[in-house]
Amino acid sequence: MVFDIDVIKKVYAALPGKVEATRKMLGRPLTLAEKILYAHLYAPTTAAYERGKSYVEFAPDRVAMQDATAQMALLQFMTCGRDQVAVPSTVHCDHLIQAKTGAVADLNTALDTNKEVYDFLASISNKYGIGFWKPGAGIIHQVVLENYAFPGGMMIGTDSHTPNAGGLGMLAIGVGGADAVDVMAGLPWELKMPKLIGVKLTGKLSGWVSPKDVILRVAGILTVKGGTGAIVEYFGEGADSLSATGKGTICNMGAEIGATCSVFAYDDKMSAYLRSTSREELASMADAVKEHLRPDEAIYSDPSKFYDQVIEINLDELEPHVNGPFTPDLAWPISKFAQAVKENNWPEKLEVALIGSCTNSSYEDISRSASLAKQAIQKNLDVKSEFTITPGSELVRFTIERDGLLNTFDQIGGVVLANACGPCIGQWARHIDDPNRKNSIITSFNRNFAKRNDGLASTHAFVASPEIVTALAIAGDLTFNPLTDTLKNRAGENVKLDEPTGYELPPQGFSVDDPGFQPPAADGSGVEVIVSPTSDRLQLLAPFAAWEGTDLKGLKLLIKAKGKCTTDHISMAGPWLKYRGHLDNISNNMLIGAVNAFNDKTDTVKNELTGEYGSVPATARAYKAAGLGSVVIGDENYGEGSSREHAAMEPRHLGVRAILVKSFARIHETNLKKQGMLGLTFADKEDYNKIQEDDTIDILGLTTFAPGTPLTVVLHHKDGSADSITVNHTYNQQQIEWFKAGGALNVIRAEAAKNK
């Protein structure tokens, strides 16, 4: 079955003409990303947009939301005055299921614990024409790949790993909930025209090397911010040789280099995957317009003329990689990893190995890992580490159970977790004797920031392919290299693991009893959405206040964050996920993970009103109660990581007026703008050092706030001296209107009221 087939037919019918018109306008061959971008303009253009500079309005084909972010997105949507969503939209319940004992028990616990939230999401989806995927159906990105992603399409999703759909040739971009509201309300979605990074893949994978190793290598080259503001487009015969799900893995983890999204050209592997997932009609439609779903041939002969940056990777020479700890771009070829472990004194004993997640839970991933588990059984090897398996969807889980793969894992002590995010996002009740003890885990997930998986700063988390994770689980030792080393079995014999083997697609096809989908009512006008006024999980939203019309003076410094400050540091997940629908309650986690530059502590800042030190949220609330705004200072790539808009809404709610940093991650900067915040950057990054702990801050130039015109920040120091510094911004005129109105949603409300 093909969801939204009429939408796809419309896209494909218009695609050839739009591509040809764009080619004529630009006067040159087109990359795949350019074809899709220009084919999805909200309104036609007669002039080219400048990469990295022009703000462009797009019309995405669909919206996807996971349960943690959908709550706030839909709480906002229900205030915007529409009776139904304007584009196909879905909600996926995957984030609120905590991994503790195993799939069945954990899912039942989640259904009970989160009943209020699930009921809210089901009812509001039913009312507004949104498809609802029940708890246990699977992780949003895997379900989207199996059901909704289509070559040449464009979608946005309220999760940073939405780009997973690039594995099926789709531009799929992670956004905050306010962006989703725009598109669901039928409004244009704004994005700065991305730059293009081309990654040419030559050769072919073999042996222990997997698609995951491609993105682990790319992360090592580009770092966590090297892809910021860019689409990464993979091409070459090496790209065409990868499975569609392998391509999805690479696009998924592209979020870790800050990329807007990543994409592969349509090919036979994608066609085969579409047919395997019961979308034969879609595959035939895509085959008919295949030339428009790939870069023009001239791109291949001289890619440096068409991409802003080109990277080349020979898959014949690529080694398996292990990345980490504490950052996903610290890349180690397996041949050098053992030495790195020893030299850095990382714990060599591997305590837990985890495979699956939205990044690596395909049939190919699971079957190759199961081949290693089978070897452990046949070669009489004990598995030394705790080992968990997270299927990405009920479709995958049912199929791998039918084919005996889950039984293989069970024989080596593997624990199958629910079809949900679980440990990947901190939803993990970790079993450990001493939470302060240094320890090592390895996952096939995408992110490994400190505390990300289990909330423990002492945990050293590493990222690798499912195959390498499984091999290291068997060894129980991070210094083990399965390509060269042997293991001693129960009989005292030295045995070597053979290369993993598997299937890109299940030989007997996919199968499932209940995929977990609940379609919306044909007419939702009579559906009531109930939010209890006494709930501590859900809270209806009140509009944020509009700008006063003056410069902002007398602001207090809330925190000067030092070093890496991701959205996990700004608004932690884990146990806080239960408050994602209650802005006031979740605001109690605001910036509690950020390191205060003045004392190197977390969640301990000076209250300038009392002179005492306290938590960040409590201090912000004290300033707000006194009628004072505050400012947050940050370092490089502030707000990297998850797309969660709570990291922007919480400061807004607690009276923070501006975030001033050395540089922003893309999604977070946009989220701040949407909420009516000032997202500013130092014109001179050295001015970060001028910020003192007792500063009172003025922001000048707002009465003439204009695109391209810097603002001035005055730092009033405790000793009576002052520093005046220049700060930059990237606001266009529409975004300035958001600021003035108190947020983009206020503008939408006003327009809806005007049109009624």
Side-chain angles (χ1 to χ4, degrees), residues 228-264:
T228 302
I231 290 175
V232 181
E233 184 171 317
Y234 292 84
F235 64 95
E237 72 273 13
D240 290 342
S241 72
L242 301 174
S243 66
T245 51
K247 292 177 170 76
T249 291
I250 292 167
C251 294
N252 177 297
M253 198 174 159
E256 271 47 76
I257 57 173
T260 301
C261 65
S262 303
V263 69
F264 281 81

Side-chain angles (χ1 to χ4, degrees), residues 196-253:
L196 298 180
I197 297 174
V199 179
K200 182 179 181 181
L201 301 181
T202 60
K204 192 173 183 179
L205 297 177
S206 62
W208 284 91
V209 189
S210 78
K212 182 64 162 274
D213 297 306
V214 176
I215 186 58
L216 293 175
R217 174 73 181 120
V218 170
I221 295 170
L222 288 176
T223 77
V224 290
K225 65 176 185 175
T228 302
I231 290 175
V232 181
E233 184 171 317
Y234 292 84
F235 64 95
E237 72 273 13
D240 290 342
S241 72
L242 301 174
S243 66
T245 51
K247 292 177 170 76
T249 291
I250 292 167
C251 294
N252 177 297
M253 198 174 159

Side-chain angles (χ1 to χ4, degrees), residues 270-327:
M270 294 187 194
S271 181
Y273 182 76
L274 289 171
R275 295 175 193 280
S276 183
T277 50
S278 303
R279 289 176 284 176
E280 295 86 355
E281 184 180 5
L282 174 52
S284 297
M285 290 164 55
D287 289 343
V289 291
K290 185 173 182 178
E291 65 179 292
H292 305 298
L293 302 175
R294 294 181 62 83
D296 288 341
E297 281 300 319
I299 302 293
Y300 293 107
S301 57
D302 192 1
S304 61
K305 282 178 63 177
F306 305 101
Y307 297 101
D308 298 287
Q309 180 181 353
V310 176
I311 296 168
E312 186 167 341
I313 296 175
N314 185 343
L315 302 183
D316 291 333
E317 300 172 356
L318 185 64
E319 273 191 72
H321 276 61
V322 180
N323 286 24
F326 307 128
T327 184

Side-chain angles (χ1 to χ4, degrees), residues 77-78 82-85 120-130 519-530:
F77 179 77
M78 67 188 293
R82 279 197 65 99
D83 296 328
Q84 242 193 356
V85 290
F120 164 72
L121 291 173
S123 64
I124 198 168
S125 296
N126 204 25
K127 183 175 183 65
Y128 292 110
I130 299 168
D523 178 6
S525 58
V527 177
E528 186 178 2
V529 179
I530 301 173

Side-chain angles (χ1 to χ4, degrees), residues 39 74 77 96 104-105 119 149 206 216 264 399 473-474 523 563 653 677 687 715 717 723 731 753:
L74 293 177
F77 179 77
L96 300 179
V104 176
D119 288 349
S206 62
L216 293 175
F264 281 81
T399 303
I474 296 168
D523 178 6
H653 177 63
M677 297 274 286
D687 286 342
L715 308 170
H717 305 307
D723 278 305
Y731 287 71

Side-chain angles (χ1 to χ4, degrees), residues 20 53 93-94 99 138 158 212 251 311 322 384 395 429 506 516 558 585 614-615 630 643 647 661 670 682 731 756:
E20 184 55 34
K53 292 191 177 179
C93 294
D94 63 358
T158 59
K212 182 64 162 274
C251 294
I311 296 168
V322 180
K384 302 292 177 59
L395 181 71
L558 180 60
N585 282 348
S615 76
S630 56
S643 67
V661 302
T670 300
F682 293 100
Y731 287 71
K756 278 200 169 181

